[in-house]
């Protein structure tokens, strides 16, 4: 790798020692940064699905530095998220993302009993979204009752965790039912994946793919591909079931074949040539998946793919100075809708970048497992 992971991680930690204080002073849960300030989520307040990435990032930085400021900041923002368990209004299948990286991390790293209860509370909410016709319901809108999405592969991790915590296999069984459905219904013969699949919520009959955050119906949204790549890798680590590893490898091979020569990631692998939409969120998530896959399989090409992505982002799209509060730029939430951010710093880009660097430097607390 051209960049030195430990040196970059030190610079990132030093920057967050300065800028995370701004969020703490303002009492907010950051979603993105621009022009020297942190900005909160554009939708649903602290129930927006990305809320766990800030405390998760603080735990990643704590693992790297052992600076107690990061632990305190993780705990401050975990409280903002557990308040949302009470209101419940906007919570959806992304309780996995939100609570595994906040309460789940807190419990895993310190043994805190209340954090364990809150993690199980979130896991039970996710269990309640399982429709026994065969899928975990993604979103809350009535007209989307039959929707399942590839992103949910990452949320399954909190179910596997809950089964280990309680010694009750129900949680892991539901996770496997959903993962098996995802293999059948989302993975395409060429190695790409659908973002959204709609089912009849009464019968479970597949209605068809629905266009989502990618370029168009039937295209290949790179972040969805990354969620699947890393999600199936984690499902394999949780179960040691070969079919999940095979799914992860298929998704990874397709992703690796589409990494741009500069190491950046197009927002959609089928986007029109010349249309510049980069999504480094996808690259950072995929880098974590590639590193884990290289460890599981011993395949050097997966590590090379991770390093190309990381070097691309570090060479072209990282602000280690004082331009913005966060680090990774050129993150794009959705191909056609700029409301949640286009070509900007978004917090889960920084989260996965730091997780990847922690993996390479031997400091990863493995928050997903
Ligand atoms: N729903 C997760 C994402 O936008 O990637």
């Amino acid at each position: 790798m051209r960049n030195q992971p430990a040196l970059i991680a030190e610079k990132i930690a030093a920057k967050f020692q300065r800028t995370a204080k701004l969020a703490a002073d303002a009492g907010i849960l950051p979603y993105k940064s621009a022009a020297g300030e942190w900005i909160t989520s554009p939708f649903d307040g602290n129930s927006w699905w990305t809320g766990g990435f800030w405390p998760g990032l603080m735990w990643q930085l704590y693992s790297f530095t052992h600076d107690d400021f990061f632990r305190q900041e993780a705990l401050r923002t975990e409280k903002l998220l557990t308040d949302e368990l009470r209101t419940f209004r906007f919570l959806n299948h992304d309780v996995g993302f939100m609570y595994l990286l906040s309460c789940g991390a807190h419990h895993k790293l310190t043994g805190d009993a209340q954090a364990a209860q809150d993690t199980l509370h979130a896991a039970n909410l996710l269990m309640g979204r399982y429709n026994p016709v065969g899928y975990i319901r993604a979103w809350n809108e009535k007209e989307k009752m039959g929707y399942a999405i590839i992103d949910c592969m990452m949320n399954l991790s909190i179910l596997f965790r809950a089964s280990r915590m309680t010694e009750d296999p129900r949680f892991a069984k539901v996770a496997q039912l959903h993962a098996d459905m995802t293999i059948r219904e989302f993975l395409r013969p060429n190695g790409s994946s659908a973002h959204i699949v709609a089912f009849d919520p009464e019968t479970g009959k597949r209605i068809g793919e629905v266009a989502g955050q990618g370029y168009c119906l039937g295209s290949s949204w790179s972040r969805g591909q990354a969620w699947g790549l890393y999600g199936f890798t984690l499902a394999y680590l949780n179960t040691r079931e070969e079919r999940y590893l095979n799914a992860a490898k298929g998704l990874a091979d397709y992703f690796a074949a589409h990494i741009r020569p500069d190491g950046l990631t197009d927002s959609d692998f089928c986007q029109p040539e010349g249309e510049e939409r980069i999504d480094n969120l996808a690259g950072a998530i995929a880098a974590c998946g590639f590193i884990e896959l290289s460890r599981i399989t011993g395949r050097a090409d997966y590590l090379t793919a991770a390093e190309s992505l990381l070097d691309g982002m570090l060479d072209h799209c990282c602000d280690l100075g004082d331009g913005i509060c966060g680090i990774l730029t050129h993150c794009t939430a959705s191909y056609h809708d700029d409301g949640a951010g286009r070509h900007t710093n978004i917090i889960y880009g920084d989260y996965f970048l730091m997780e990847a660097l922690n993996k390479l430097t031997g400091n990863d607390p493995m928050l997903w497992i």
Side-chain angles (χ1 to χ4, degrees), residues 49 93-94 97 139 149 151 195 213 221 223 227 333 348:
W49 73 277
H93 74 141
D94 288 325
F97 282 118
W139 295 315
I149 69 173
D151 323 28
H195 178 197
Q213 284 155 259
W221 179 46
R223 193 159 75 255
W227 291 137
Y348 56 110

Side-chain angles (χ1 to χ4, degrees), residues 43-311:
F43 311 109
D44 298 353
N46 289 337
S47 276
W48 183 236
W49 73 277
T50 55
F53 289 107
W54 180 264
L57 174 59
M58 296 301 114
W59 285 116
Q60 292 286 352
L61 292 164
Y62 178 70
S63 292
F64 185 74
T65 59
H66 305 291
D67 177 344
D68 200 53
F69 164 71
F70 291 126
R71 187 185 64 86
Q72 296 287 355
E73 179 59 5
L75 299 188
R76 178 187 74 80
T77 46
E78 177 184 331
K79 171 73 173 69
L80 297 178
L81 293 173
T82 51
D83 287 349
E84 300 298 307
L85 289 170
R86 174 74 184 86
T87 60
F88 183 62
R89 267 179 313 159
F90 299 117
L91 296 179
N92 58 32
H93 74 141
D94 288 325
V95 289
F97 282 118
M98 291 173 69
Y99 295 100
L100 192 60
L101 296 180
S102 53
C103 320
H106 184 189
H107 171 241
K108 177 167 183 163
L109 300 181
T110 72
D112 185 86
Q114 184 59 51
Q117 292 307 115
D118 292 334
T119 306
L120 291 177
H121 187 161
N124 277 283
L125 293 182
L126 187 55
M127 286 289 279
R129 300 189 73 85
Y130 184 67
N131 182 330
V133 300
Y135 64 92
I136 291 176
R137 175 178 172 176
W139 295 315
N140 295 343
E141 294 90 338
K142 196 166 177 215
E143 66 278 10
K144 297 179 180 169
M145 204 179 286
Y147 284 15
I149 69 173
I150 189 83
D151 323 28
C152 193
M153 282 307 305
M154 295 295 288
N155 288 321
L156 301 184
S157 290
I158 200 170
L159 298 180
F160 290 118
R161 173 80 66 85
S163 268
R164 281 196 300 276
M165 289 168 73
T166 59
E167 297 179 18
D168 180 342
R170 279 179 310 135
F171 301 92
K173 292 286 177 208
V174 164
Q176 287 194 239
L177 287 169
H178 186 87
D180 292 342
M181 177 283 293
T182 306
I183 291 177
R184 280 193 316 274
E185 309 291 0
F186 281 71
L187 305 192
R188 302 174 181 143
N190 71 353
S192 71
S193 52
H195 178 197
I196 305 171
V197 174
F199 299 93
D200 180 326
E202 286 289 346
T203 64
K205 185 174 178 300
R206 187 187 205 267
I207 296 169
E209 277 191 35
V210 176
Q213 284 155 259
Y215 173 62
C216 67
L217 185 62
S219 70
S220 176
W221 179 46
S222 60
R223 193 159 75 255
Q225 191 78 9
W227 291 137
L229 186 178
Y230 197 17
F232 274 109
T233 304
L234 294 169
Y236 173 75
L237 288 174
N238 273 303
T239 62
R240 301 288 161 185
E241 293 286 351
E242 211 60 33
R243 63 188 184 280
Y244 300 144
L245 181 57
N246 289 335
K249 288 199 291 198
L251 292 159
D253 293 342
Y254 182 91
F255 197 112
H258 289 82
I259 297 174
R260 294 164 37 131
D262 59 7
L264 304 181
T265 307
D266 284 330
S267 182
D268 195 300
F269 294 132
C270 302
Q271 71 195 41
E273 252 183 66
E275 200 158 305
E276 187 77 339
R277 289 272 201 296
I278 290 166
D279 181 22
N280 284 321
L281 298 164
I285 298 157
C288 291
F290 277 122
I291 295 168
E292 290 302 329
L293 270 184
S294 75
R295 290 182 177 158
I296 295 165
T297 62
R299 275 177 58 173
D301 58 329
Y302 286 150
L303 187 58
T304 304
E307 291 177 346
S308 305
L309 290 165
L310 292 169
D311 275 330

